[in-house]
Amino acid sequence: MEHVKSTEAEKLNAEKTALVVIDLQTGIANSGRLLAPYTGEQVVQKASKLIDAFTQKGAFVVLVRVSSVDGKDMLKPYTDMEMNQMQWPEGWDRFVPEIADTQIAHTITKRQWGAFFGTDLDLQLRRRGIDTIVLCGISTSIGVDTTAREAYQHGYHQIFVEDAMTASTKEEHDYVCKYIFPRIGRIRTSEEVALSLR
């Protein structure tokens, strides 16, 4: 993925930057469904390394999951695409084991695609003086993209970790990374992000 770099912008101040990890839970990352261009396992591995890097620098880490109390708290609009009724097996909303024991992470439970609406994410970021968020997780074109658009409207600087996110199809992932993310933030690799954190 080609991108323009600014030397100053590439230095991430750990005190003002948060890592926001979207929906790396057993029912999504380990569901067995096909994901592209990266597998759920690959995304979890990259995200785990980022969590370690952010934790070592004392940066704020946010783990986001989608869950439901009884199904009545989820959105059900009329749509042209027929949506399968979700069956929620036991433990589907638990964070994957690789990140479940993350120390000093703030956890957020959402009832829709985006992590800002109806949660305390914006409040917790602002209380800590954070102005930049680094986003990763599943799915690039749903949870990550919706959260990114919400963050943009809240005025946050954003970095999208292209190799630590994936989608249902490569086409969905590539479209968002090519046409949406460059308009609202910067696209980087997990290695570039880890190296730029100060």
Side-chain angles (χ1 to χ4, degrees), residues 5-6 10 17 25 45 48 58-59 68 142 155:
K5 293 186 178 182
S6 160
E10 291 312 304
T17 304
Q25 57 196 74
Q45 183 182 46
S48 296
S68 175
I142 298 179

Side-chain angles (χ1 to χ4, degrees), residues 1 34-38 140-141 162 166-178:
M1 190 68 59
L34 293 178
L35 297 168
Y38 308 105
T140 308
S141 54
E162 190 275 337
T166 195
S168 296
T169 66
K170 183 178 185 300
E171 290 75 17
E172 288 180 49
H173 174 88
D174 289 347
Y175 176 84
V176 176
C177 288
K178 182 175 181 180

